[in-house]
Amino acid sequence: MALDDRKTDFKFVGTRPDRPDGLDKVTGRAKFGADMYAPGMLHGAILRSPHAHARIVKIDTSKAEALKDVKAVVTRADFSDEVEFKPGLEGEFWNVLENVMAGEKALYDGHAVAAVAATSALAARDALKLIEVEYEVLPHVTDVDKAMEPDAPVIREGAADYSVPEGMHPNVVRYHESGHGDVEAGFAEADLVIEDHFDTEATHQGYIEPHACLAMLGNDGKGELWCCTQGHWIVQKTCAALLGIETSQLRVTASEIGGGFGGKTTVFIEPVALALSRKANRPVKLVMSRSEVFRATGPTASASMDVKIGMKKDGTITAAQGVFRLQGGAFPGAPGDFTAMCAFAPYNLTNVRQVGYDVMTNRPKQAAYRAPGAPMGAFAVESVIDELCNQLGLDPIDVRLKNAAREGTKASYGPRYPRIGLVETLEAAKAHPHYSAPLKPGQGRGISCGFWFNHGGETSVSLALSEDGSAQVMVGTPDIGGSRASMALMAAEVLGIPYENIRVTVADTATLGYNDVSHGSRVTYASGLATIKAAQNAVEKLCERAAAKWGIPVDAVKWENGCAVPSGPNAGDFDPLPIAEITADMGRTGGPISGHFEATPEGAGVSFGTHIVDAEVDRETGKTTITRYTVIQDAGKAIHPTYVEGQFQGGAAQGIGWALNEEYIYGEDGRLQNAVFLDYRIPVASDLPMIDTVIVEVPNPGHPFGVRGVGETGIVPPLAAIANAVSNAAGVRMRQLPMSPPRVLAALKGDG
Amino acid sequence: MSKIHVTTTVNGDEVDFLCDPRETLLDCLRDRLNLTGAKEGCGTGDCGACSVTLDGRLVCSCLVLGVEAEGKEIGTVEGIADGDVLHPLQKKFIEYAALQCGVCTPGILVAAKALLEKNPDPTEEEVRYWLAGNLCRCTGYDKIIRAVMDTAAELREAV
């Protein structure tokens, strides 16, 4: 799209109206995954392995089946046997099937091995105790570095794909290498080279709503599924494959979703509920407990990383190199490639080389978590840059500005950037009062930049006009942060009718074409673009009706403020024809007026942010307090600025948790030690300060209104920014997350 | 296991239900009385999504047994609005965008209302500590705290 096609004067976009689902959500009316009931409904429950790695010798379900309250018991035998195993991610359906119901082996603590459906939730839970599973316990490994050692237990032979070099341990299943220039020559030019090792632990997305669904499947192969998901079409096609039914015969409706952050982009319980329903021939509701969520749903990957950067005395980076090993549980999919590609993406580098490993261990299958892979790499890279700045006596923002990627820069991962907004975020950070505010004793300040690709993805939107001139918009991307408001604003902008006259619905899989998941920060970009195009499609038809009424050519009609008007003095002298007058007659003038758009938009527009953090370290207890936090990020164009701020704040808060508290803790027995919110502590209100935001707007050339996705970039800088603040406050470089009080205390004592 | 008959008052209405003695008050509200506003986020009293009032006291309904509701007065998110008139907290939460996914919102509204009834002029720190038992993963709490503080100010002016 040519730059001058892009709209810059807005009437609705950029305003802050109430969200359309606000009333439902403050009155308790909104229906989330667990809020649906059906006549004759059964309750499901899942039996899970207590072992990190064990061969399943035998499962005896006879005692459970004998209970009169139990209506169905399923194991792996109740799923499709046609799902094919393939290496890496090529056979992802097989990986998902193996994850939702174990086959020959239990691969992690919490791995599903059987499930029951009974007349009540209590009866289902009681029945699980009667299922007898005989295990042959196998050696296990949960640490990424240990999983790569020659004597590590093999999780699954043959899981490695073509990308893995010969001679690597079978647990290394995917390999990525990229970059350009000559890093050795670059390091030789440097005045100072720092190489360091960093580790991050796995964290959970921590959505407050556990996975929940209500499933109905008959042996005629027709089904209905209600579930909380970030994408019901992927649920539809995955469940259909796993159950051996036709995709179109399964209708999936997305409930309101109580948080996802990437963790609800796949299925866990949905195929199990469908299998139970098919066997019992009754609806089955399945709701996970919190400990099931922790033990068996997607934590993010943990990481072990080595980063080496060379810098001249003036701050110029001469070379950068990183090795990123990511552990993604008992299946391929850890985003070592994304970590590698994002790590150095903010910088204009002559010499850069990055390597990423995807490594399997006996842990739950990792799932996407907000900019998957990027925060870990940024932690390592931005920590080394901070240390270089400290040792060379340079200002951390000036150094980043000096090396910042701009329009035309060849990205570390390959392409040349179109118009991007990194420099603008850095300049805004430098000018922000936070950056020059004095620090108190015991406090330190940290800076970090962050990058995320953003994503387009397959998208369908349908818009229908009603006889009174109001509009209904059907989108297929579940609303995970106020996107219905943004869609309505964009449709209002094109149609020229009030925001309130537009109702946006998240359509089910039977009423709209395919839509990718709400992920990759794609919704406001891609569903927004599709909404604009669908509205423009409807406007074309409105103009045709006006032209026919006036008896003039359609190109002599234009659309302005919700009315058809003659395009100029030569077109004729007609009063503006409001939308409601056209739609009132539409049955007689050619039939219903709708707009559609289906495409896979490719111009998502990459996103950058810069964060400023002040942290205070208690030298007696090792406890860190975040005293001030400012997020500066390029939104391209903020459609609903309040919800853009909300994304920035939410990303920062999750980053604070990751940096300071959150971690998966495994015992020597390979069991997860902290599978409740009391022990896996996400930030609470009293842990956090207000989080200031600055919305930078450098329009994305790939969107009609300039939108860039904003959801994910906000979690990329916090780990590093906080680590830099804590390191500067403590006077010791922090190389391992989370920076929990014992770790900080150990670092202060010099044994960390 | 035989069920127990419980008579109680929910949002001013007298109701009764039969429940298994092991069922929580949260289960009974949701599964027996169709009041699904209170949510189960953890089942261990850590997330506050199931917050209700029991004889005026803020509790996690996942930590109360259904049978304990006998003869008590329960307040849930469904009872916060007065007919079609929203409580000022509800209005401010929409205005401030103090929710993203909204699953924690029922519990936070119940808890915030209980705070303002006890302390009409809380400091930011008091609001943060009072709501420390209500987890929100979306917002970073910023807009929630502002909405509660602004509601408190508005309610003080109205007196």
Side-chain angles (χ1 to χ4, degrees), chain A residues 19 25-26 34-35 37 126 204-205 208 210 257 290 369 643 645-646 649-650 654 662 678 683 685 688 691, chain B residues 20 22 30-31 39-41 46 90 94 97 99-101 109 128 132 135 137-143:
Chain A
R19 61 193 287 162
K25 289 202 168 153
V26 299
D35 297 339
Y37 296 77
D126 288 344
H204 197 277
Q205 295 83 352
I208 306 302
I257 176 171
R290 178 55 54 181
Y369 180 21
Y643 285 96
E645 293 163 6
Q649 291 165 335
Q654 290 185 326
E662 295 177 37
L678 189 65
L688 300 181
I691 296 167
Chain B
D20 185 293
R22 294 174 293 172
R30 293 176 54 84
D31 297 342
K39 309 297 179 194
E40 179 164 318
D46 297 315
Q90 293 173 307
I94 297 174
L99 55 132
Q100 283 175 30
C101 79
L109 286 169
R128 285 186 180 279
L135 301 180
R137 191 59 156 172
C138 294
T139 65
Y141 305 103
D142 183 300
K143 293 182 192 299

Side-chain angles (χ1 to χ4, degrees), chain A residues 15 26 247 296:
Chain A
T15 62
V26 299
T247 303

